[in-house]
Amino acid sequence: MDQGELVERARTGDRRAMQRLYQEHASHVFAVVRRLAGDEQLAEDLSQDVWIRAFNKLDQFRGDSGFGTWIHRIARNMALSHLRRRKRRPDVEGEASPGDSSPPPEDAVINRQMLEEALEQLPPGYREVLVLHDVEGMTHKEIAESLDVAVGTSKSQLHKARARMRELLGTPSREQQQEETKGNGAG
Amino acid sequence: MEQDSRSSDHLSLERISALLDEPGDDPRATEHLKECERCEREQERMRRMRMALSALGGVTPPEDEWEQIEPHLPDRQELEGRGEEDDVLPLFRSGWVGRVAAATLVFAVGLGAGLQLRDDGSPSGENPDRAVASGETGSSGATAGVGAETGRRGIGSAAGFTVADDGGPASLQRSSDYLSAAQRLESMVSGGQEVDVEPIDDPVAAAEEMARLEALAEAAREALREQPADPALNNFLFRVNERQESLRSRLGAAARLASMDYR
């Protein structure tokens, strides 16, 4: 059964069709709310809300885009709405430089777990912009409109977030440190 | 602190990040990158990190998430009930909103086609829009002229609402349905609580409201094709458009995304 049929059946209240749709897209929905929320419990609540809302509003889905795209947007918008309600101010932190504190790792393999852990440790304002831009692929203009900030603020937050991510991605190994020391002589 | 690229100091991570996205933004910093192995390597690391972020996939939700969700899902009976409402007109899927919109538009056409509005028993009509929107017309009285039938049929067609041929404007005036419709329209157009439920915080509700407003606007435009100079209709459409603009400005991108993309 293709996705269009599943959606049609779900519209009639077919729970099995709903469950199939859920199973196909649950990880992506959870990913976007988890990364934006930065909090496991909040993400669980938001994810449930997204699915409940989506299935209750399925009559609004016209099929112009895929169901996955549709629910992804709902997830993103609901997470952003929640974040806006919290009315946080942009995080203001000092800039990082390659020469500051411990140097970032050399060309260590950046695996997914490292990234997810680093994302969790980012200040919320940094994380939102980084996730929206580098993970979700939104433009600064879209981010600025979504978060109700200036485009320049979005850019600034992104660069600060990346800098912080570089710091959070671990301490270099001894070999890496040696390589780093060699590299320092070239600056 | 960010370093000046003209000096021998390294570029800050933030500057390196900015150059990654906009390489031509700072020629001197770009020049520094070419000369400084360390900064160049740091930019390469930053590029890899960016690529890795863009490749992040899904995250496994809690095992019992579906069990948590399922009790809150609509059942077949509930959805079938909604389907009956949908038969009125796809654009007006929100139950009373559609009926109110249709009824109100019929009312508006009646006004625009020659009604004379009365306030406190004296001739009025200078501001039919205010009267429609505030719901004052029903209580103050409205007498209809002729010529509204065509427009009413047009609106009725646009709104999926049948206008009885034998239902004259006077009957419209007396109808409590229309009074109620006008009052509700006021709520709708001016952002009252009945429609404007947490519009900023709820993108889906915002999408619904935008859809309702667009349906109202489209129905009004349809009626205006038959009676383009109708002042009440024009004022009505203007008010709806104002409401749309207001909502857009308050919601920013969220409202636009919700109204345009949830399809």
Side-chain angles (χ1 to χ4, degrees), chain A residues 101-114:
Chain A
S101 63
S102 61
E106 188 55 46
D107 300 331
V109 174
I110 302 174
N111 66 36
R112 176 180 159 155
Q113 186 180 350
M114 291 163 63

Side-chain angles (χ1 to χ4, degrees), chain A residues 12 15 22 27 35 47 53 56-57 59-60 65 77 95 98 106 112 145 159 162 166 180 183-184, chain B residues 11 13-14 17 21 38 41-42 45 57-59 65 73 76 82 93 202-203 208 253 262-263:
Chain A
T12 68
R15 289 290 172 87
Y22 166 80
S27 69
R35 289 179 188 131
S47 180
R53 181 67 62 93
N56 275 284
K57 303 291 180 185
D59 57 335
Q60 294 179 6
S65 62
N77 287 350
E95 295 187 22
E106 188 55 46
R112 176 180 159 155
E145 289 172 346
H159 302 319
R162 283 184 185 155
R166 290 292 301 125
E180 186 73 21
N184 285 345
Chain B
L11 300 176
L13 290 171
E14 291 171 40
S17 168
D21 293 346
R38 175 180 171 145
R41 281 186 297 130
E42 179 52 47
R45 293 180 203 134
V59 176
E65 186 177 50
L73 298 181
R76 198 178 294 269
R82 292 183 197 173
R93 285 179 170 157
D202 187 339
E208 289 172 345
Y262 281 23
R263 291 171 185 177

Side-chain angles (χ1 to χ4, degrees), chain B:
Chain B
M1 287 291 289
E2 186 175 325
Q3 306 297 317
D4 187 336
S5 61
R6 289 171 297 186
S7 74
S8 60
D9 293 325
H10 297 297
L11 300 176
S12 71
L13 290 171
E14 291 171 40
R15 172 57 63 190
I16 289 171
S17 168
L19 290 169
L20 196 61
D21 293 346
E22 297 171 285
D25 194 41
D26 185 344
R28 280 181 289 203
T30 305
E31 193 64 28
H32 175 87
L33 269 179
K34 289 177 184 171
E35 297 169 355
C36 177
E37 187 181 345
R38 175 180 171 145
C39 288
E40 188 183 18
R41 281 186 297 130
E42 179 52 47
Q43 190 180 47
E44 180 56 27
R45 293 180 203 134
M46 192 83 79
R47 181 179 288 112
R48 290 183 190 186
M49 182 184 77
R50 187 179 65 174
M51 287 175 61
L53 283 167
S54 69
L56 279 176
V59 176
T60 306
E63 285 184 6
D64 66 343
E65 186 177 50
W66 177 253
E67 283 69 35
Q68 301 290 326
I69 292 168
E70 193 172 14
H72 302 284
L73 298 181
D75 57 25
R76 198 178 294 269
Q77 197 172 9
E78 191 179 344
L79 289 168
E80 283 171 358
R82 292 183 197 173
E84 288 169 10
E85 289 179 357
D86 288 352
D87 292 341
V88 176
L89 183 73
L91 280 173
F92 290 82
R93 285 179 170 157
S94 303
W96 68 264
V97 175
R99 296 192 176 98
V100 167
T104 305
L105 283 166
V106 173
F107 188 57
V109 168
L111 290 173
L115 295 183
Q116 289 188 332
L117 305 180
R118 291 172 183 275
D119 236 348
D120 300 328
S122 59
S124 171
E126 290 85 357
N127 191 355
D129 168 51
R130 178 174 173 273
V132 171
S134 66
E136 292 171 359
T137 48
S139 57
S140 59
T143 54
V146 293
E149 285 300 318
T150 306
R152 284 163 49 209
R153 286 200 190 99
I155 290 246
S157 173
F161 186 87
T162 302
V163 180
D165 287 341
D166 59 352
S171 68
L172 296 182
Q173 174 201 341
R174 288 192 295 270
S175 167
S176 61
D177 286 347
Y178 291 98
L179 298 180
S180 173
Q183 285 162 355
R184 283 178 167 176
L185 178 66
E186 165 61 13
S187 173
M188 181 182 297
V189 174
S190 63
Q193 289 300 310
E194 285 187 90
V195 178
D196 199 2
V197 180
E198 295 184 337
I200 295 174
D201 294 331
D202 187 339
V204 175
E208 289 172 345
E209 185 173 5
M210 291 297 283
R212 288 179 196 124
L213 290 168
E214 182 52 34
L216 285 170
E218 180 54 33
R221 284 191 289 266
E222 177 72 21
L224 279 165
R225 287 187 195 109
E226 293 194 32
Q227 299 191 29
D230 188 297
L233 276 177
N234 280 298
N235 279 327
F236 174 77
L237 182 57
F238 179 72
R239 289 290 304 274
V240 172
N241 288 339
E242 267 192 332
R243 180 75 185 106
Q244 287 177 304
E245 281 306 308
S246 169
L247 185 59
R248 283 195 189 99
S249 66
R250 285 159 55 201
L251 293 173
R256 285 192 289 279
L257 282 171
S259 63
M260 295 172 64
D261 295 336
Y262 281 23
R263 291 171 185 177

Side-chain angles (χ1 to χ4, degrees), chain A residues 114-148:
Chain A
M114 291 163 63
L115 282 174
E116 297 282 11
E117 287 174 0
L119 276 174
E120 281 185 32
Q121 293 177 59
L122 280 182
Y126 288 5
R127 183 177 58 246
E128 289 159 22
V129 174
L130 185 71
V131 167
L132 292 174
H133 191 277
D134 283 359
V135 182
E136 295 291 308
M138 289 172 72
T139 65
H140 284 295
K141 186 169 183 291
E142 291 169 332
I143 294 168
E145 289 172 346
S146 296
L147 299 179
D148 196 23

